[in-house]
Structure formats: C-alpha cells, structure tokens
C-alpha cells in the first residue's frame, strides 16, 4: 500500500512497507507549459516560440550566433527550422541543419516536421543518422541529423558549405559530439561570415555559451558596422506554465525498481486519468520494470494500463506506439531513459516518476577504463524530468529520493561528457579533420589534460598516429580498436570475418532480450556457442542468418533480434565498401579461427586479462592496470573462464563485467604489441 502525504495534512506514518510501498510527501511546486488538443496549425501558433518568431528571425539575420533558451516543448526544435525556411534561408539550394545528440530524437522530430509541413519525409524534410540517410540532395531543405553525423560530413566538406544555418540543439546536454562540433563551428564561422549558428538549450546556462562565441574576448575589439554582428545574441522563450506538484519519498528507497512499480500502481489506483512517464537508467532496468509491472498480479487485473519502453535503438513500431495517442479510458505508462528528459515531447503525460539516476559514461585516465555507470542525476535534470508532467494540465512528479538528498547531494548541473570520457575517438576525429594542435584546441569546456595525453599515448601505441602525430589509419573507422582489428585482418587473411565481427560489435546486442525465457535463450545460444568465445560465436550466428535467407522466423526461433541482425548485415555491407576503398583484400580464412582470434587480439590487446590464480569465482585482472573484472553472464565464456582473454567493453553494475570476450594465447599479445607488453608480466598461471 502506498500513501502520499499532501501538504497541510498531518505527516503520514509508514504502515506497511512489506509490499515495497513508498511514502511520498509534497513540498514545492514548479511550472511548465502545455496545451490541449487542437488542429495542427493552431497547435503551431499556440507554441510559446511562435510569439518570438519575428524576434528570432531578426536576431539570426543580424547576428552570427543566436542562443535560444526555452523550456522543453516550447517549439524550438520543430518550429525554428520551419521559420527559417519560411524566411528564405533555404533558398538557392541552401540547407538548414538541426543537430540532436540522439538518433531517436532525430527520427521523431523529422517525422513530426514533415507531417506539419505536409511533405513526405525524405523529400523537403529529411534526416541522417549513422547508417540511415533519409534525405535527397536535390530537394531536402531542412535536415535533421545527429551532431556525430555532421562532424563526419566535415570530412568531405570542411566548411559545411551547403548549410546556411546550423542549429545545434540540446546544447545544455553537453554531449561529447556537441562540444567538439561547437569548437569546430567556431572555427568555420571565421572563414564563412555568412553562416549563421543557432544554439538551442533547455536550461539557462547560456552565458558561458555566449562568452565562448564572443570574439571580443579574444580579439580585443569588434566593428559594429560589419554585418553580421559577431557578438552572440541571447533570447529566452517564455512558456506559460502548469504547476507540477513535487513529491519526495520520506525514507530512501532500497530498491528503486520495486518502488517504481509500486508508485505506478498507486498512481493508477488513486489518481485521475493521465499518462505516466517513468525515468529509469537503461534498457535492462526498463525491461525489468516492464516485466514486473506486467507480471504483478495486482496490475494483471488492470486492463487499462498500456506499459511501453522508450530508449534509443527501440524498433520503429515500438517508437510509434509510444507517440500515438492513448486510447480513451486507458492509461499509458512510458518507461524511459533520460531521452524523454528534454529531447522528446510526449503528449498527455500528467505523472512523472523519477528514480533519480541515469547511466553515464565515466572514464578514468589513470586506469584507462571507461564504464557506463549508474550515477545520480543533477538538480537541473531533476527539474527537467518534473517539467514533463505539466504539459497539458497541472501534473505531479514523484521523486524516489528524499528532499534532503535533492538539496544536499545532487549537483546543480551535470559534468560535460567531454570531461568524463575516453578521448581516443574524439582525438582521431579532430586529427582526421586536420586539427593538428589538439592540446590547444578551443573547447567550450576543456577536457582534463590527463585524458587528452592518455588518448594521444594510446593512439601512438596503436600505430594510429605516427611520430609526427599525423593520422596513419584511414578515417571512417570510428572505434580505433575495431579499426586496428580490421587492418590487422588483412595480414591474417581474414578480413571477411573481421568485418562481420566489427559489425556485430558496433550494435548493442544481437540477442533478443526478454526476461522470462532465460533458459530457452541460453539453449538457443548454445547452438552457436564455441569455446573460443563470443566473437567466433557471432560468426556462426551471422552465417546461420545468411543461410536462413535472412529470415525473421529463423531469428525468432533462435532468440535473435531480427532488427539487430538486419542492421548487422547493413553495417557489414558498408564496412565492406570502406575496406575495399582502403585497398584491403576481402578474404575469408575458411574456418581457421586461430587467425581470427589473432586479428581480434591485434585490435584489442589493450583489453587483455588474466584469470587470477586460484580464483574460484571467475576473477580476472587486466594486464594493463590490474583492475578486477569478471566475464559478463551474457557471454558464452561465462563460467568457462579461460586463462587468457581479451574483451571488447566493460559494463559495471555491482562489479565490472566484460562483454564480448574471446580466449587468446598470451604470446599473441607480445606479437601484436611489443611496445606495449614488453615490460608486463605475461608468465603462465602457476597451478
Ligand atoms: O524543442 P522543444 O522542446 O522546444 O519543442 P519541440 O520538440 O519543437 O515540440 C513542440 C511541440 O510539438 C510539442 O510541445 C508537441 O506539442 C509537438 N510535438 C508533437 O506533438 N510530436 C512530436 N513528435 C514532436 C513535437
Ligand atoms: Mg527540442
């Protein structure tokens, strides 16, 4: 039983916590904007940003850079590109670009704008994300894309000359690619005075952006006569707001998944109609919560609940369900990662449940390990999440943490991704774009020098940078370890296998994730599993997939994610083309898995681990830094525990788990990277 404490009443007593019940009490309120159901045109005109249309167009005309701050849902992303087009910025074959940090946001926003303009997606309005280009060079005038894709476009067109206006959206998120992009756009602006930049952000952190783009600080003076004005303009879009009541838990919750389930069920019991948006940390969390909600005997009786996941990489059909209107008399529960925090707008949400956590990349340059870690969100994020409850009418936000925790423990803003990431991919990208002085690059906020130097070191040892710090490996391979593996496969005569492995490694998982059928799934995996490890297993899976004629039925029977397998096939074709262009011979080793493992080792030698002597629980230590790591339960080598392995990536929950593991011979390490391993202990394990 869950009870809520309303303001002005006596503080409630905890009656029964056995069922995972949670007690909340209410304190303050905040506000957000929102509107009822009306026609598309009316809807457009009612958005807060509409009143600022003229002002925005004026500022963009007059200023090189315009910073626009406005609450989520105020119309920044969907309206401003249309205003720009209406004002003529897309004439003469020019294109208006709008970047997003997330692929899913790119897709949904582009569909929405195409719908508003009554055009077919991919014609006047299009989008590009990695491996998916829904644009037409001749007619697309408004183009949505991830900031990563725009960075990649710079390789072919360093000045991004086809764009008249580039709107960098969701700048408050400070994603790694956004920050790199801002640094580069600032350089481009000096060469292309006619280019206009718009920086859109949901929070008022605009001052630091403005000073970053302000040339006066660096050049001393500016001539006001010259158009456009180089000094950035800032405009804030005010939204009318509905109140959101905030509720906190009285006591910290021991298990936020159970707390989420119990809170959703009591909202459904006690509160009037309105959809519920739940913020969790990632796909695993979300799947588990959905499982609990749909299995819970109490909720089974509730035919009115429609429980849906929302995260990047969600299949198209599931995305559509999330964004389609809730049927009358039903209640939608959308369980999401922080993608719904600011980049997507869900209509009809009245209740928000916020677990208080998010998954973040955190990199430690000393140990050279990058983890996805569940961390506390910032106050700014908490406010954004709460704001999602008040779009169409007054709403409520249930925070699964105490008010004291919010006030004393949560930081005001998050740390930019730049300052908590492995910078290897970023350095490769900048090098490929001809930025030679990486240490002197003008960043919106500087990364730590340790992380930068570490990245340069790794790239030297990988042979990706030569002695003059010039890029040796061809651009286009994003992950340096995967690139190295592919390059090495040329020498080992197994490039066909290496690109299959590369394609599988570049997506999240090929297995269908579903909790109730663990046993059947493990059995299905055994059909493909081999003692060499996951990479070789992937080759078997891919072979089976092709032999089945790329059948969805076959995937279904083998607990494989059909969409994921199709993606693997697509990526593989693309890699094949790149590899051919680089002059690598496409060749199969015809079943000689030793050379495949050697090629993998050549790329991933820095991720080598040894099983601890006398370890009974599968404890490994990395050779580099003696980090304690374990094989992930999803690996075919889980419980097999070969002595020597290399892994592809680490996920950390209660422990550091290695995903995608392959067994190796330690002598291959010195072969692959003598400069790296000559001083390391590679003695066999004593028995
Ligand atoms: O970018 P910002 O958060 O300021 O707002 P937006 O994404 O441009 O969304 C403006 C409005 O368009 C939202 O409040 C929704 O009413 C509507 N919208 C929608 O109905 N469906 C979408 N897929 C996107 C936006
Ligand atoms: Mg937006």
């Amino acid at each position: 039983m869950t009870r809520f404490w309303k303001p002005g009443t006596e503080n409630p007593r905890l009656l029964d916590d056995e069922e995972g019940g949670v007690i909340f009490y209410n304190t303050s309120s905040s506000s957000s904007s929102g509107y009822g159901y009306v026609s598309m045109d009316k809807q457009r005109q009612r958005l807060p940003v509409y009143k600022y249309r003229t002002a925005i167009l004026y500022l963009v005309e007059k200023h090189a850079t315009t910073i626009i701050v406005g609450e989520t849902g105020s119309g920044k992303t969907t309206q401003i590109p249309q205003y720009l087009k209406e004002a003529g910025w897309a004439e003469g074959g020019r294109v208006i670009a709008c970047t997003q940090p997330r692929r899913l946001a790119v897709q949904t926003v582009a569909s929405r704008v195409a719908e508003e303009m009554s055009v077919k997606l991919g014609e006047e309005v299009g989008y590009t994300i990695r491996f998916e280009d829904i644009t037409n060079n001749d007619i697309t005038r408004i183009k949505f894309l991830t900031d990563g894709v725009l960075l990649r476009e710079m390789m072919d067109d360093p000045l991004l000359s086809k764009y008249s206006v580039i709107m960098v959206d969701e700048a408050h998120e400070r994603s790694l690619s956004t920050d790199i992009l801002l640094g580069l756009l600032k350089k481009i602006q000096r060469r292309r005075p006619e280019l206009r930049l718009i920086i859109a952000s949901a929070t008022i952190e605009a001052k630091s952006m403005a000073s970053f783009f302000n040339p006066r600080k660096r050049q001393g003076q500016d001539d006001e006569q010259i158009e456009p004005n180089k000094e950035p303009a800032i405009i804030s879009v005010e939204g009318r707001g509905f109140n959101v009541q905030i509720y906190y838990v009285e006591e910290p919750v021991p298990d936020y998944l159970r707390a989420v389930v119990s809170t959703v069920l009591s909202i459904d019991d006690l509160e009037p109609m309105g959809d519920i948006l739940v913020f969790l940390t990632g796909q695993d969390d979300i799947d588990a919560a959905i499982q609990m909600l749909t299995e819970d005997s109490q909720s089974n009786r509730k035919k009115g609940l429609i429980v849906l996941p929302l995260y990047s990489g969600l299949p198209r059909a599931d995305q559509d369900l999330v964004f389609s209107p809730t049927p009358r008399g039903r209640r939608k529960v959308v369980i999401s990662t922080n993608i719904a925090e600011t980049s997507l707008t869900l209509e009809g949400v009245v209740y928000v449940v916020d677990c208080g956590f998010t998954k973040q990349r955190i990199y430690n340059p000393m140990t050279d390990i990058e983890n996805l870690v569940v961390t506390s969100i910032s106050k700014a994020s908490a406010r954004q999440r709460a704001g999602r409850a008040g779009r169409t009418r007054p709403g409520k936000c249930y925070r699964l943490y105490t008010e004291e925790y919010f006030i004393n423990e949560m930081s005001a803003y998050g740390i930019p991704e730049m300052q908590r990431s492995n910078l290897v991919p970023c350095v490769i990208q900048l090098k490929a774009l001809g930025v030679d002085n990486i240490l002197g690059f003008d960043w919106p906020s500087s990364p730590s020098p340790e992380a930068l130097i570490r990245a340069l070191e790794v790239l030297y040892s990988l042979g990706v940078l030569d002695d003059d710090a010039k890029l040796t490996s061809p651009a286009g391979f994003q992950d340096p370890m995967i690139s190295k593996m592919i390059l090495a496969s040329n020498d080992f005569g197994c490039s066909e296998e290496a690109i299959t492995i590369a394609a599988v490694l570049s997506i999240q998982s090929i297995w269908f994730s579903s909790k109730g059928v663990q046993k059947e799934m493990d059995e299905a995996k055994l059909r493909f599993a081999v003692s060499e490890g996951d990479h070789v297993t992937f080759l078997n899976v891919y072979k089976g997939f092709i032999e089945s004629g790329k059948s969805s039925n076959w995937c279904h029977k083998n607990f494989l994610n059909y969409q994921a397998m199709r993606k693997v096939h697509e990526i593989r074709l693309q890699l094949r083309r790149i590899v051919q262009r680089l002059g690598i011979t496409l060749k199969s080793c015809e079943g000689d898995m030793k050379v495949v493992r050697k090629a993998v080792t050549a790329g991933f030698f820095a991720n080598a681990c040894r099983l601890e002597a006398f370890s009974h629980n599968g404890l490994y230590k990395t050779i580099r830094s003696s980090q304690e790591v374990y094989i992930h339960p999803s690996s075919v080598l889980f419980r097999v525990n070969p002595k020597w392995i290399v892994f592809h990536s680490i996920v950390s929950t209660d422990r550091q788990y290695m995903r995608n593991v392959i067994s190796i011979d330690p002598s291959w390490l010195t072969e692959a990277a003598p400069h790296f391993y000559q001083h390391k202990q590679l003695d066999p394990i004593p028995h």
Side-chain angles (χ1 to χ4, degrees):
M1 172 71 191
T2 304
R3 296 184 12 163
F4 306 106
W5 184 60
K6 299 242 166 64
T9 62
E10 203 182 315
N11 215 350
R13 296 274 135 253
L14 193 59
L15 289 181
D16 177 11
D17 199 25
E18 295 300 290
E19 296 169 11
V22 182
I23 289 190
F24 293 93
Y25 69 99
N26 167 270
T27 56
S28 54
S29 61
S30 71
S31 56
S32 170
S33 56
Y35 305 91
Y37 285 105
V38 277
S39 80
M40 192 81 95
D41 270 357
K42 283 256 167 56
Q43 241 181 73
R44 283 194 64 195
Q45 288 169 18
R46 284 191 185 187
L47 287 169
V49 79
Y50 183 72
K51 282 209 219 76
Y52 297 83
R53 187 181 182 280
T54 318
I56 290 169
L57 288 174
Y58 175 82
L59 291 177
V60 173
E61 189 73 44
K62 298 283 177 200
H63 291 258
T65 307
T66 304
I67 295 162
I68 302 181
V69 182
E71 267 184 70
T72 304
S74 57
K76 301 181 298 298
T77 313
T78 55
Q79 305 309 304
I80 293 171
Q82 294 187 66
Y83 300 163
L84 293 169
K85 179 167 177 300
E86 289 153 13
W89 284 97
E91 267 151 36
R94 297 176 304 169
V95 180
I96 296 156
C98 177
T99 71
Q100 301 285 315
R102 297 187 171 86
R103 304 159 52 109
L104 182 56
V106 169
Q107 292 171 311
T108 57
V109 164
S111 320
R112 170 72 183 186
V113 172
E115 191 189 342
E116 287 186 10
M117 288 170 61
S118 309
V119 298
K120 192 159 163 262
L121 186 62
E123 295 185 351
E124 246 180 300
V125 179
Y127 73 84
T128 311
I129 57 181
R130 198 163 178 217
F131 305 120
E132 199 175 337
D133 182 11
I134 313 291
T135 60
N136 176 329
N137 261 340
D138 300 329
I139 51 176
T140 300
R141 291 292 152 258
I142 298 180
K143 176 163 158 185
F144 291 91
L145 68 180
T146 55
D147 24 29
V149 165
L150 190 60
L151 283 175
R152 220 156 294 141
E153 285 189 4
M154 273 186 216
M155 307 249 176
D156 296 328
D157 178 7
L159 294 181
L160 297 173
S161 50
K162 73 174 173 202
Y163 299 110
S164 57
V165 186
I166 296 173
M167 170 162 160
V168 179
D169 206 353
E170 306 285 319
H172 62 273
E173 275 205 28
R174 304 303 304 277
S175 84
L176 184 56
S177 298
T178 304
D179 273 9
I180 299 175
L181 184 61
L182 290 172
L184 290 165
L185 286 174
K186 189 174 158 176
K187 280 174 173 285
I188 292 179
Q189 247 181 349
R190 269 184 249 139
R191 308 268 302 276
R192 280 191 58 200
E194 80 284 5
L195 174 70
R196 297 295 191 275
L197 296 183
I198 297 179
I199 319 272
S201 163
T203 57
I204 324 280
E205 225 190 338
K207 285 228 180 67
S208 66
M209 272 304 151
S211 68
F212 176 68
F213 277 98
N214 197 338
R216 285 187 181 204
K217 265 183 49 192
R218 290 159 215 267
Q219 289 171 0
Q221 56 166 212
D222 193 20
D223 190 350
E224 294 289 346
Q225 304 307 106
I226 295 176
E227 295 260 298
N229 189 335
K230 297 281 190 307
E231 201 173 319
I234 305 185
I235 181 166
S236 176
V237 174
E238 309 285 333
R240 273 181 292 149
F242 286 102
N243 271 353
V244 175
Q245 300 265 19
I246 308 283
Y247 296 83
Y248 291 95
V249 293
E250 276 233 303
E251 298 286 333
V253 298
D255 175 350
Y256 65 76
L257 281 183
R258 286 188 67 198
V260 158
V261 171
S262 114
T263 306
V264 166
L265 293 178
S266 39
I267 293 171
D268 192 43
D269 272 344
L270 303 171
E271 298 288 341
M273 271 305 167
D275 293 342
I276 304 172
L277 173 61
V278 179
F279 285 100
L280 281 179
T281 66
Q283 189 182 342
D284 39 353
D285 255 12
I286 292 172
D287 288 343
I290 290 181
Q291 177 95 3
M292 284 161 81
L293 263 172
T294 42
E295 271 184 359
D296 186 282
S297 57
Q298 204 188 341
S299 56
N300 257 346
R301 281 184 275 122
K302 295 181 190 300
K303 294 282 183 283
L305 280 188
I306 305 171
V307 186
L308 300 168
L310 179 60
Y311 47 82
S312 251
L314 195 67
R316 203 49 196 259
D318 291 348
Q319 293 174 26
D320 292 346
L321 280 180
V322 169
F323 292 100
S324 62
T326 311
R328 206 171 261 283
R330 306 284 298 271
R331 194 198 291 273
K332 193 149 70 181
V333 183
V334 176
I335 308 197
S336 173
T337 59
N338 61 354
I339 189 163
E341 200 174 286
T342 60
S343 32
L344 296 175
T345 306
L346 295 172
E347 290 298 310
V349 171
V350 180
Y351 310 99
V352 163
V353 180
D354 172 13
C355 79
F357 291 99
T358 183
K359 237 181 226 166
Q360 280 197 332
R361 272 205 285 182
I362 300 203
Y363 173 69
N364 180 345
M366 301 317 282
T367 59
D368 196 29
I369 285 199
E370 186 176 52
N371 289 324
L372 262 184
V373 184
V374 174
T375 44
S376 188
I377 59 171
S378 66
K379 287 192 177 81
S381 282
R383 290 199 185 95
Q384 286 296 334
R385 289 179 173 192
R388 296 310 118 246
R391 274 205 37 77
T392 39
R393 57 188 155 101
K396 294 180 176 179
C397 173
Y398 301 86
R399 289 178 171 167
L400 298 178
Y401 38 90
T402 61
E403 183 175 26
E404 195 205 348
Y405 186 83
F406 174 79
I407 294 171
N408 298 323
E409 305 290 331
M410 284 185 175
S411 57
Y413 294 99
I415 303 169
E417 194 176 24
M418 176 69 70
Q419 292 169 345
R420 51 180 168 78
S421 297
N422 179 353
L423 297 177
V424 165
C426 155
V427 169
I428 292 194
Q429 203 149 29
L430 288 173
K431 283 279 175 189
L433 287 167
V435 176
D436 283 327
N437 181 4
I438 300 279
L439 294 171
F441 187 69
D442 195 3
W443 313 88
S445 55
S446 304
S448 82
E450 290 82 25
L452 265 183
I453 288 166
R454 181 88 215 96
L456 289 166
E457 260 175 35
V458 169
L459 291 173
Y460 285 121
S461 67
L462 278 170
V464 175
L465 293 181
D466 64 17
D467 290 344
D468 302 326
K470 290 272 188 294
L471 210 55
T472 58
S473 133
F477 291 86
Q478 282 308 297
D479 179 327
M481 291 189 179
I482 292 183
S483 321
K484 190 72 205 294
M485 173 183 76
I486 297 177
L487 293 176
S489 73
N490 195 23
D491 304 332
F492 291 111
C494 57
S495 52
E496 292 277 12
E497 285 79 6
I499 57 179
T500 306
I501 291 170
V504 176
L505 292 180
S506 63
I507 66 162
Q508 269 243 324
S509 172
I510 51 172
W511 303 104
F512 192 78
S513 79
S514 173
K515 289 266 144 68
V517 291
Q518 198 58 46
K519 195 166 145 279
E520 291 88 334
M521 208 176 126
D522 288 344
E523 283 169 10
K525 258 189 202 177
L526 279 180
R527 272 172 236 154
F528 305 101
V530 282
S531 61
E532 285 106 328
D534 296 306
H535 304 65
V536 179
T537 304
F538 296 152
L539 293 176
N540 291 340
V541 170
Y542 183 73
K543 188 156 167 269
F545 178 63
I546 295 301
E547 282 170 2
S548 78
K550 293 179 250 155
S551 137
S552 64
N553 221 343
W554 181 86
C555 287
H556 191 74
K557 271 202 303 236
N558 288 297
F559 288 85
L560 286 159
N561 183 335
Y562 173 61
Q563 297 298 342
M565 286 308 295
R566 285 197 24 184
K567 200 111 231 173
V568 165
H569 184 64
E570 231 172 82
I571 296 174
R572 195 182 180 284
L573 288 180
Q574 217 170 62
L575 285 173
R576 220 160 175 266
R577 282 194 293 274
I578 298 176
V579 158
Q580 272 171 316
R581 274 210 304 274
L582 296 174
I584 292 178
T585 324
L586 282 166
K587 186 168 183 305
S588 164
C589 59
E590 308 296 347
D592 179 2
M593 288 306 139
K594 193 163 160 190
V595 295
V596 171
R597 286 155 69 208
K598 281 189 173 185
V600 173
T601 310
F604 290 87
F605 60 80
N607 293 349
C609 300
R610 175 167 53 190
L611 184 69
E612 278 296 277
F614 314 116
S615 160
H616 299 294
N617 60 349
L619 170 65
Y620 283 81
K621 284 197 176 160
T622 60
I623 308 296
R624 285 217 55 163
S625 53
S626 293
Q627 280 280 311
E628 299 198 346
V629 289
Y630 296 85
I631 294 181
H632 194 270
S634 71
S635 166
V636 299
L637 294 184
F638 180 60
R639 295 215 180 91
V640 177
N641 298 331
K643 281 175 202 159
W644 290 90
I645 54 168
V646 294
F647 63 85
H648 168 240
S649 59
I650 295 257
V651 284
S652 48
T653 46
D654 50 331
R655 289 170 168 177
Q656 320 263 34
Y657 286 109
M658 302 173 275
R659 286 191 65 220
N660 304 328
V661 178
I662 190 163
S663 80
I664 59 159
D665 184 313
S667 67
W668 300 345
L669 291 172
T670 33
E671 228 173 83
H675 46 291
F676 203 79
Y677 279 111
Q678 57 198 359
H679 305 304
K680 301 273 177 187
Q681 262 293 94
L682 293 176
D683 300 334
I685 306 169
H687 280 279

